[in-house]
């Protein structure tokens, strides 16, 4: 079994409330007498994490979720309020922009200081200096004070130093969100090679594309708590689905069911009744069935639809469009079922809906919906996979 580089057990970080000056004085008094602040607010709480050599983990979550705090606890920048963190092996960390750089010193001087802090000898640094300068690609600015650097140049220099060291564990916080596209591509290529050679990565990012491209696992934090940890595609898709549901929740309104003429009494998806979201594999079969009660016994029209969790329509079809009827169960009860074989929806979060309309198809009476998660690995964009092929002339294999 591979070596454990990071082991965090029950790790938490809390800060005392300090809304008013009196709060700060009370917090200081409690610290001086060694008492824990009962009103302290946890920004990270009860996190268990084990990172083995060769693993790549994306840390995801909305702003304020505690991602950066967790990395600072792992690197020792912050001391945990509860729990403990054990780290073995060399660590290269790119956290806050410019952290560790002296603004009055030149880029070259800062490289020398960073090398000394990481235990490089003068000869070792001399052998790597040109490589660092070329990777950073900041030209004559290497001999200018860092305070004159743009944010992109600071990241370039910081990443160039880490790249030359090739630590056992690389920890980065949104490093790919700063800088131009060409440098981002250079960083990604380096990280892919680093991982291929057995490196270990902890990557904080808001980009699910980069998370899925570089990492095999993902850790989702929300308000400091661990929401989910596992396969990067499953966790990132669950996170995006949660985001979309959160955004769409305020826009949804329950239909008026008073005196309804056509009422939907259930919606069963893949033989699963109830209201829970249904999970299917990409390319799997989707079967939706529903019962409809007709107050007057008139024949209803049923329409099935699929939308993204944010409400974007994907597909819809009705019994009237396809010229099929619903099954009559009794004088007032009907049943309808539709099947999609080999569903081409891309992995993500969706809602399936059924609507009832009158016999003439003029008025909508009722709606029921269920959550649907399509599980699978894909970095394609959009909503559906379209059959396609790449046509290349023989001998043309350019990258």
């Amino acid at each position: 079994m591979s070596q454990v580089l990071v082991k965090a057990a029950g790790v938490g970080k809390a800060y005392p409330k300090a809304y008013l000056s009196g709060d700060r004085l009370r917090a200081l008094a409690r610290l001086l007498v060694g008492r824990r602040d009962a009103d302290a607010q946890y920004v990270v709480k009860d996190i268990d994490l084990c990172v083995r050599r060769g693993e790549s983990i994306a840390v995801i979550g909305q702003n304020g979720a505690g991602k950066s705090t967790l990395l600072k606890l792992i690197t020792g920048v912050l001391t945990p309020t509860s729990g403990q963190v054990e780290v073995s092996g060399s660590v290269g960390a790119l956290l806050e922009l410019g952290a560790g750089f002296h603004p009055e010193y030149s880029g070259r001087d800062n490289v020398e200081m960073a090398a000394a802090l990481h235990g490089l000898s003068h000869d070792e640094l001399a052998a790597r200096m040109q490589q660092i300068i070329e990777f950073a690609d900041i030209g004559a600015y290497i001999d200018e004070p860092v305070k004159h650097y743009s944010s992109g140049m600071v990241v370039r220099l910081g990443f160039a130093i880490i790249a030359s060291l090739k630590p056992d564990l690389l920890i980065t916080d949104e490093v790919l969100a700063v800088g131009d596209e060409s440098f981002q591509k250079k960083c990604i290529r380096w990280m892919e090679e680093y991982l291929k050679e057995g490196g270990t990565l902890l990557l904080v990012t808001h980009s699910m594309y980069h998370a899925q491209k570089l990492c095999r696992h993902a850790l989702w934090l929300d308000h400091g708590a661990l929401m989910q940890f596992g396969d990067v595609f499953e966790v990132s898709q669950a996170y995006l689905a949660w985001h979309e549901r959160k955004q769409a929740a305020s826009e949804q309104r329950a239909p008026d069911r008073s005196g309804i003429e056509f009422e939907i009494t259930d919606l069963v998806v893949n033989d699963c009744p109830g209201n829970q979201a249904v999970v299917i594999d990409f390319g799997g079969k989707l079967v939706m069935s529903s019962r409809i009660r007709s107050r007057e016994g008139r024949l209803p029209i049923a329409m099935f639809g699929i939308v993204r969790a944010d409400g974007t329509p994907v597909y819809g079809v009705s019994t009237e469009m396809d010229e099929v009827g619903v099954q009559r169960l009794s004088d007032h009860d009907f049943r309808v079922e539709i099947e999609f074989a080999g569903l081409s929806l891309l992995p993500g979060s969706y809602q399936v809906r059924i609507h009832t309309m009158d016999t003439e198809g003029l008025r909508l009476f009722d709606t029921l919906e269920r959550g649907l998660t399509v599980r699978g690995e894909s970095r394609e964009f959009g909503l559906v996979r379209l059959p396609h092929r790449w046509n290349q002339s023989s001998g043309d294999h350019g990258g």
Side-chain angles (χ1 to χ4, degrees):
M1 187 173 290
S2 55
Q3 177 190 3
V4 174
L5 297 184
V6 177
K7 185 175 182 180
V11 171
K13 183 63 179 179
Y15 293 99
K17 287 196 308 182
Y19 302 128
L20 304 173
S21 58
D23 294 332
R24 291 191 288 272
L25 291 173
R26 281 190 293 272
L28 178 60
R30 289 190 182 98
L31 287 173
L32 291 174
V33 298
R35 290 173 53 193
R36 181 171 294 181
D37 194 337
D39 295 328
Q41 295 179 320
Y42 273 86
V43 292
V44 170
K45 189 172 185 179
D46 297 330
I47 301 297
D48 295 323
L49 178 64
C50 182
V51 182
R52 296 185 180 277
R53 184 181 295 276
E55 289 188 328
S56 50
I57 301 173
V59 183
I60 63 176
Q62 61 184 345
N63 290 333
K67 306 184 297 296
S68 298
T69 301
L70 177 61
L71 295 194
K72 290 176 182 176
L73 290 168
I74 291 173
T75 56
V77 175
L78 294 176
T79 302
T81 305
S82 58
Q84 59 182 5
V85 179
E86 298 177 8
V87 179
S88 60
S90 60
V91 177
L94 287 168
L95 300 178
E96 292 181 355
L97 191 63
F101 285 161
H102 195 298
E104 300 294 336
Y105 293 172
S106 71
R108 192 184 299 272
D109 291 337
N110 274 286
V111 170
E112 292 174 353
M113 287 192 296
L117 288 172
H118 284 90
L120 290 185
S121 67
H122 182 271
D123 290 341
E124 287 173 322
L125 174 60
R128 302 185 192 193
M129 179 61 85
Q130 189 58 36
Q131 176 190 358
I132 293 172
I133 293 173
E134 289 176 358
F135 194 103
D137 193 20
I138 58 175
Y141 276 96
I142 191 66
D143 293 307
E144 291 286 328
V146 167
K147 66 181 181 181
H148 295 160
Y149 286 15
S150 66
S151 59
M153 292 166 65
V154 171
V155 169
R156 282 173 175 268
L157 186 60
F159 199 97
I161 295 170
I162 296 298
S164 72
L165 296 170
K166 286 198 173 179
D168 297 321
L169 172 63
L170 172 61
I171 298 178
T172 71
D173 189 351
E174 289 292 357
V175 66
L176 296 174
V178 182
D180 56 56
E181 185 177 351
S182 63
F183 185 72
Q184 290 180 9
K185 290 180 178 178
K186 182 191 290 188
C187 290
I188 291 172
R189 285 195 299 269
W190 183 89
M191 284 192 275
E192 287 178 326
E193 190 63 28
Y194 166 78
L195 291 170
K196 193 181 298 183
E197 294 174 357
T200 309
L201 176 66
L202 273 177
L203 172 72
V204 163
T205 181
H206 285 288
S207 167
M208 296 306 103
Y209 171 81
H210 288 133
Q212 293 175 0
K213 183 175 179 64
L214 293 169
C215 299
R216 291 197 295 267
H217 297 90
L219 182 152
W220 170 17
L221 289 178
D222 184 54
H223 290 90
L226 178 61
M227 296 289 287
Q228 191 172 342
F229 178 81
D231 175 80
V232 66
F233 286 95
E234 292 189 10
V235 177
S236 60
Q237 288 160 17
Y239 171 66
L240 290 173
W242 172 82
H243 240 304
E244 291 176 349
R245 286 194 298 269
K246 184 179 177 182
Q247 182 178 355
S250 60
E251 302 172 5
Q252 295 178 353
R253 297 290 183 270
D256 181 9
R257 300 171 65 90
S258 59
I260 196 167
E261 183 174 347
F262 297 101
E263 179 185 358
I264 303 169
T265 57
D266 69 0
L267 174 57
V268 178
V269 181
N270 284 10
D271 295 324
C272 298
N275 298 316
Q276 295 296 317
V278 177
V279 179
I280 67 171
D281 290 324
F282 174 57
K285 182 170 66 174
L286 174 66
V287 181
M288 296 184 285
S289 63
S290 187
R291 290 176 181 264
I292 302 170
R293 182 162 183 82
S294 172
R295 189 182 63 191
E296 305 295 333
R298 299 173 67 210
L299 187 72
I301 288 175
M303 174 178 283
F304 284 98
I306 301 174
V307 301
R308 281 297 297 262
D310 61 1
T312 304
V314 178
Y315 182 76
V317 67
S318 72
T319 52
E320 181 193 35
M321 293 175 189
D322 285 351
E323 298 180 344
V324 297
V326 297
Q327 178 188 2
R328 184 183 288 272
L329 301 176
S330 66
D331 289 345
H332 298 279
D333 295 298
F334 297 84
R335 180 179 181 275
V336 62
E337 180 175 294
I338 190 170
E339 176 179 328
F340 298 90
L343 197 66
S344 58
L345 290 177
L346 288 177
S349 178
Y350 302 85
Q351 296 282 344
V352 293
R353 295 175 176 172
I354 177 174
H355 308 281
T356 56
M357 305 177 71
D358 57 22
T359 309
E360 295 74 32
L362 298 176
R363 183 180 173 193
L364 188 148
F365 283 88
D366 198 9
T367 298
L368 273 186
E369 65 181 28
R370 295 274 301 275
L372 174 70
T373 297
V374 179
R375 179 177 55 194
E377 297 187 10
S378 174
R379 299 215 319 268
E380 297 158 285
F381 296 102
L383 303 174
V384 298
R385 171 173 287 175
L386 300 179
H388 64 276
R389 67 180 183 182
W390 298 98
N391 295 324
Q392 291 182 305
S393 59
S394 60
D396 182 9
H397 301 289

